[in-house]
Amino acid sequence: MIQSVGLTKQFVRTLKKGQKEEFYAVDHISFQANQGEILGVLGPNGAGKTTLLRMLGSLMDPTEGHVVIRDKDDKEISDKELLKKHIGYLSENTKLYGRFTVRETLSLFGELYGFPKEEVITKIEQISTVMHMEEFIDNRVEKLSTGQKQRTSIARCLVHDPDIYIFDEPTLGLDIISSKAIIDFMKQEKKRGKSVLYSTHYMEEAEFLCDRIVMINKGHIIAEGTPEELRIKTGTDNLRDTFFALIGGGDEDEL
């Protein structure tokens, strides 16, 4: 289980004529993602999604608030380095070593997490099967397609078998085959009792994939519930219309 407790992130931006202004990218947000659940984090560009996910993944320190992560025995984990071992974080800006093969990349991360060499070899074979990577597992990363690189990035998150996955736009710009492999993976990990936090601009994708949804806008939660609950609340037929109903209209290009 992972819980956001009043998470807040304040930044300073420069205005015209050099004036400085403080603003909240994330403003006292609280919610939790449960074991065996896919929780969607949805909102327009600039809503604060990525900042929120980076704080949840221990990649950014909050201005206020804190993150609570509990293990399978319901014990809270406080050590920051130990926390990272329980989280698999995927950003749309994840960088990979271009001259490494996919197998070498996964081997490197397995060794960084302290697994014995023989165990890493076994893990790589298992991950390759799960992510349908057999055809390119020994190709250099720089030679991969966009979808293959994204699957490699997700595979990197699997090496240490985390309890919590935080995915920021994992299917952005991918072909339908790569997108399906990633969506199927998230469904499978949910069945294994993992917690999945999933940010996306694809409302239709979120509608059938997510158990619950947190909608945010301008750093605030504006709605939370199952897709059906949100549709009923707003009297709409789909999540895209639900969002615009909640913010009182808007430009579809924002999503």
Side-chain angles (χ1 to χ4, degrees):
M1 182 274 286
I2 181 168
Q3 184 178 15
S4 169
V5 182
L7 279 181
T8 301
K9 189 63 180 182
Q10 187 179 42
F11 292 106
V12 177
R13 58 188 166 201
T14 302
L15 303 176
K16 293 180 180 179
K17 299 181 181 180
Q19 295 176 318
K20 304 289 184 180
E21 177 187 62
E22 294 181 345
F23 72 99
Y24 289 97
V26 174
D27 193 355
H28 297 88
I29 283 183
S30 298
F31 65 87
Q32 78 176 40
N34 301 311
Q35 185 178 354
E37 178 180 54
I38 299 177
L39 179 69
V41 180
L42 308 184
N45 292 325
K49 301 187 301 296
T50 294
T51 300
L52 174 63
L53 295 181
R54 287 178 64 82
M55 289 190 288
L56 288 167
S58 300
L59 300 177
M60 178 184 290
D61 292 327
T63 305
E64 295 180 43
H66 61 282
V67 178
V68 176
I69 293 178
R70 298 185 182 277
D71 62 20
K72 293 176 181 178
D73 297 320
D74 201 35
K75 293 180 180 177
E76 185 174 345
I77 304 166
S78 56
D79 181 82
K80 193 166 184 178
E81 290 306 311
L82 186 58
L83 280 176
K84 291 180 180 180
K85 292 184 179 180
H86 285 261
I87 297 172
Y89 186 96
L90 176 71
S91 165
E92 59 179 311
N93 296 318
T94 298
K95 302 299 182 183
L96 299 169
Y97 301 99
R99 295 189 63 80
F100 280 18
T101 67
V102 175
R103 191 184 302 275
E104 289 169 342
T105 298
L106 299 183
S107 296
L108 172 63
F109 281 95
E111 292 171 12
L112 289 174
Y113 279 107
F115 291 108
K117 186 174 182 179
E118 291 303 316
E119 187 174 348
V120 171
I121 292 173
T122 301
K123 280 179 174 289
I124 290 173
E125 292 304 319
Q126 293 171 341
I127 292 169
S128 176
T129 300
V130 168
M131 296 302 297
H132 308 293
M133 301 168 64
E134 296 91 343
E135 293 183 0
F136 59 88
I137 188 75
D138 290 307
N139 293 354
R140 283 186 178 180
V141 169
E142 63 188 4
K143 301 295 184 181
L144 303 181
S145 68
T146 301
Q148 290 170 342
K149 287 179 181 177
Q150 190 74 321
R151 274 189 270 173
T152 302
S153 294
I154 290 179
R156 174 188 61 79
C157 299
L158 296 180
V159 171
H160 60 300
D161 194 25
D163 298 318
I164 298 163
Y165 292 98
I166 300 176
F167 289 161
D168 190 3
E169 301 285 356
T171 61
L172 183 65
L174 298 188
D175 62 85
I176 190 169
I177 295 175
S178 296
S179 293
K180 185 179 186 304
I182 293 168
I183 289 169
D184 288 346
F185 161 74
M186 285 191 277
K187 289 180 178 178
Q188 178 179 307
E189 291 304 281
K190 170 192 167 179
K191 289 179 180 178
R192 293 180 62 208
K194 305 302 180 77
S195 301
V196 181
L197 280 83
Y198 162 63
S199 170
T200 181
H201 279 87
Y202 301 137
M203 293 289 185
E204 295 78 11
E205 189 175 273
E207 194 150 7
F208 73 81
L209 182 62
C210 298
D211 298 296
R212 286 190 304 118
I213 286 169
V214 172
M215 283 194 172
I216 65 174
N217 190 35
K218 298 179 181 178
H220 297 273
I221 292 179
I222 58 173
E224 182 178 357
T226 67
E228 182 179 9
E229 288 170 345
L230 296 178
R231 290 194 301 268
I232 291 173
K233 178 181 179 180
T234 56
T236 55
D237 297 324
N238 57 74
L239 282 182
R240 184 175 294 274
D241 289 344
T242 296
F243 177 78
F244 289 121
L246 288 165
I247 65 171
D251 185 351
E252 289 204 13
D253 290 338
E254 292 179 347
L255 289 176

